[in-house]
Amino acid sequence: AKNLANIGSARPEGRDVLGRIARLTVAAPRRVIAVVALAMVAIAVFGIPVAKSLSAGGLENPDSESAAARTLLTDKFGAGDVQLLIVVSAPDRFDSPQARAVATDIIDRLQRSGRVAGISSAWTSPRPAAAALVSRDRKAGLIVAGVTGDPSRQQASTRALVDQVAHDRGPITVRAGGPAMVNLQITEQSKRDLVFTEALVLPLSFLVLVWVFGGLFAAALPVAVGVMAILGSLAVLRLVTLFTDVSIFALNLTTAMGLALAIDYTLLILSRFRGEMSECASREQALMTTMVSAGRTVLFSATTVALSMAVLVLFPIPFLRSFAYAGVATVAFAAAAAVVVTPAVIMLLGDRLEAADVRRFVRRVLHRPEVAARPVEQQFWYRSTQFVMRHAVPIGVGVMALLLVMGAPFLGVRPGLPDDRVLPRSASAHQVGDRLREDFANNAATAVPIVIPDGAALNAGEIGRYAAELSRVPDVSSVSAPTGAFVAGRPAGAPSAPAAQVRGSILLTVDSSAPLFSERSETQLDRLHAVPTPGGRAVQFAGTAQANRDTVHGIVSRLPLVLGLIAIITLVLLFLLTGSVVLPVKSLALNVLSLTAAFGAIVWIFQDGHLGGFGTTATGTLVANMPVLLFCIAFGLSMDYEVFLISRIREFWLGFGDDGSPTAAGNDESVALGVAHTARVITAAALIMAITFAALAAAQLSALRLFGVGLTVAVLVDATLVRLVLVPAFMHVMGRWNWWAPRPLVRLHRRLGITDG
């Protein structure tokens, strides 16, 4: 006990928390593990059911014009909260007696369910409106119903309705689609994808860890810590759902990122502990040194990743906010589990941690000798880093040019909102969407509903003139007769009632032939907005085109603030770590450069459809939220590796002298030694993280597949080309200037900086 006290007291006050954790795990590892295990059981019981509370929507800006218009459509025009579309197809004609009987039965069931509003159909609507609900070959008709209720109940209502009505009756086929079915099937498919990816990732990650550590116990520890991080994050997400909506996609991020980061952090601690054990006679001393060095790096890295994720909460889009909640919770639990559970297991197992060494067993079976430890100067990573620094300029310029070329496709990005094609082709919502796009003259997705919230004292003539002006805009195929309440009781726009006075809100629907998310659609929307409104009244536009514009504006308007905060966070935290103003700027620039390949890849594959879109349906657009989400997550993960590497390089740099006195040769040696001591950990961690994210590429939802491919490319590029090539090349060129800072900042760092003393 006295020895432990002496060890703890010898550490700087700045790391007292880590010192206390280390002393506690040394003194009572069984109690620590028992308490954590009990806590995790309670957390798991609370957190695992979270999937039932998550939402498949949240991709649009809820504070926008289109959202306000959609609320009016629901509240005043009985449109229902979200549309359910049912296609009834017959082998001969949609209006055959058998098809009509099936359609009538479905409509009757929907009306009696109490879950829908505003039903229209090819069999019950007035003739002009019904024509748009019939397929071109006259064999299929459409039923449109608005599913009512708050978002937490809509999916349950949709499932109940579909189970009741969406099944074939003899030769009459019935398929359900529309936004309500898309949301439901996204949630159900996301749960299936989650189970599949976890079943794929865990064994593959374990095999890589066995390759890295050899011992089965040592390999199992990072996986166990990852499971703890995932369970803790699920509990936080369920808690957040009590106060706000959380996207179902955040669940997949939680599992993938929780496992990857927990393994990263545990790998770093175990590797550093093994290195300290080779130089220390005492396990306790080695653990204490590990905790105030590698433990500090873990907490510092977790802080940078969490802050990079936290800025997503500044966007008005619920989808992006969900990833802020999930990201911060995941990082916090991964770091906490790593710095508490890992040292406790190390002390509890002792030498048994290295037991069941698979590599040693394989060597014996193959009759191969034990691998002798070589001096670091003879190892591959040291020699490769020295080679890069000897040819720093040509290699550095070549790699930067390669990354810029790989990122070039992103210059042609076209943002858009996802539709039913985010689902696999086997999903009924995707099939219904394809049928509507190919066989029906009127595609509701391109329509632009226009609501006049306050039409009081307007007369039908003014509204008729407004509708006529709207119909003259290019690519407008028709404008529906205005719908609303009138004093005279006659419909607005009727020739016999030009003087009828409006009472309440008015709705006009502009049918458009302009393809969604195209320049024609954007130009048409501008021209529709430019049409003078009746009596100068305010109008609100709804529809997919307007919602996409509002979503993109909501992201772009906050982008400077978010990017500025990320830059400030990076510069400040890395200055506190390094005491330099050069290295933080270098890190910021290289981290952004490392993402170019990922951004180019997702546009080239998923927007433009190369490589078969990796089995997805390319729509010519990219989900507007995904580039921002990918940037924040990938930037945070690249900072993870940056902290691992730079903190180790700095340790060697300080070993050559104090206050920047070492020479340029000392700088190069520090870089080579830092890379040599961290490259194995970074490579193994990046490989495991790539496996984790690549498993998402096997998901059936195209958004998850895009997310997985983008993050896999970002992680691999960052851990290889950037971390092991560009960083040594840059640091060689800068020499001693890497560690430069103005004198006032040098004094500030001495007071507030993060050091090992």
Side-chain angles (χ1 to χ4, degrees), residues 50 108 140 171 319 356 434 521 524 564 571 606 655-656 660 684:
V50 66
D108 181 61
F319 175 82
D434 286 343
S521 177
Q524 181 191 67
L571 296 175
F606 295 97
F656 283 99

Side-chain angles (χ1 to χ4, degrees), residues 478-493:
S478 65
V479 179
S480 68
T483 303
F486 294 81
V487 172
R490 287 176 288 185

